Amino acid sequence: MAHLLSASCPSVISLSSSSSKNSIQPFGLKQTFFNPQVLSKSSLKGLLFQVKKPRRSCVFRVAAIPISQQAPPETSTNNSSSKPKRVMVIGGDGYCGWATALHLSKKNYEVAIVDNLVRRLFDHQLGLESLTPIASIHDRISRWKALTGKSIELYVGDICDFEFLAESFKSFEPDSVVHFGEQRSAPYSMIDRSRAVYTQHNNVIGTINVLFAIKEFQEDCHLVKLGTMGEYGTPNIDIEEGYITITHNGRTDTLPYPKQASSFYHLSKVHDSHNIAFTCKAWGIRATDLNQGVVYGVKTDETEMHEELRNRLDYDAVFGTALNRFCVQAAVGHPLTVYGKGGQTRGYLDIRDTVQCVELAIANPAKAGEFRVFNQFTEQFSVNELASLVTKAGSKLGLDVTKMTVPNPRVEAEEHYYNAKHTKLMELGLEPHYLSDSLLDSLLNFAVQFRDRVDTKQIMPSVSWKKIGVKTKSMTA
Ligand SMILES: O=c1ccn([C@@H]2O[C@H](COP(=O)(O)OP(=O)(O)O[C@H]3O[C@H](CS(=O)(=O)O)[C@@H](O)[C@H](O)[C@H]3O)[C@@H](O)[C@H]2O)c(=O)[nH]1
């Protein structure tokens, strides 16, 4: 079960192309699999030769229908005259991206998904699998079309390859870009040097490319960028939404809120925020940074419509997030893995609110030159509080739920003050789905339904913040 980056380098291309019904090779994956420690110059040359030149045929559409046949978006907005209609969802095959793409399509936006499908490759490389079986992106989109008559365009490629991104922009001409297309796991970014470098390269360069594409081809396009609450860290004062007004030596200014990220992943989002803020000032880009908390849940109205539309649910220690992991652990009788003292407090939200928040942001775009920051979560919980809630909900379903203290693999405060503002999305009309007994029941029942698929060896953490090294690490079961 060893899945070395090195072993995956040459095979990745064929794996991707063979999984494509249309035998179309994704391109632009060179950053993903560039590993100087293991690739010889000649194999690298071969790889780059395959992926270097984007060809028009690589950008393909799935049953696009003319805009004139589409009804206008039904979304409520304060500013209907500037309501965007064409939305490019970068990272639209992932956990948040897929749910969002479907939701926006349902709301009659013209949607295009841009994705290099690398999230699926991470699973292959690390020997992981979603709790839920998920259909290929092609089958997902075809099923959506069959059920609703709505088309979603698909561009398979890597946004770090600017030629590919430029081609996608010129072809689709988005009014809004929702950018989920980043490596989003803190533990993944802390596996080894190559994953740390990959994470920052992929995330930071990808975002810079999106900014250049907007400037060059769609200067009025609104960027809705997925940031993270983790950019702020856990300061001993209230967390504001993006900015804080400070009086210092008798002078007052409103400044970006201090950033104290705690992984190479979270830091990549800090770097993104700075780059976006700069281009808003310098070029007049309009942007919204959605500093999202930890997402839980799996079902949205749209993903529930058919098993081929089902979303992924990660429970492993690299990509699984706290509450989802606890529900799966409860379903298989594994003690809940509380890291350290369990006082770590974060903002959380239901995936149904992720899609609602993105919809609100694009329906109410930032002004030209404005860098807007929304804190995107609905409730705060400590890890211990989550464990108690899952224990209580589990016992109602007859599950014997216990918890264990795991030595914390991360470097983070385990007891701290946490009070983060999150009013701006509420002011735009967010109607939160708060964590309720019924949601926990539903998530636990969902986990029970698929528990035969759980690989319990993937539950305990094996990535250590302190032990990260330069040697490429294979993840073995
Ligand atoms: O089994 C577990 C898993 C996590 N934790 C703790 O729970 C907290 C949250 O960890 P997480 O794995 O649920 O979330 P995190 O690594 O912070 O990252 C996730 O949540 C972020 C929002 S936030 O946490 O930064 O607000 C997003 O940006 C990321 O993309 C997403 O993967 C941490 O203190 C962690 O130590 C446990 O105690 N036990």
Side-chain angles (χ1 to χ4, degrees), residues 45 71 83 89-90 117-118 146 162 168 186 219 258 287 309 318 361 382 386 404 453 465:
K45 216 168 138 196
K83 186 164 53 183
V89 182
I90 301 175
L117 311 182
V118 76
F162 189 72
S168 309
E219 61 181 5
L309 302 180
V318 176
S382 70
L386 291 181
M404 67 194 290
R453 288 176 49 87
W465 263 229

Side-chain angles (χ1 to χ4, degrees), residues 184 228-230 265-266 294 322 325 337 339 344 383 410 412:
R184 65 107 186 128
T228 174
M229 285 301 293
Y265 153 70
H266 287 100
V294 189
R325 269 167 64 71
T337 53
Y339 297 168
Q344 302 93 307
V383 174
R410 307 183 181 202
E412 61 184 356

Side-chain angles (χ1 to χ4, degrees), residues 177 179 182 207 223-227 269 272 276 288-290:
V177 172
H179 182 14
E182 300 203 328
T207 296
L223 172 62
V224 177
K225 165 69 171 46
L226 256 288
K269 298 271 189 184
D272 285 340
I276 299 168
T288 303
D289 208 355
L290 296 176

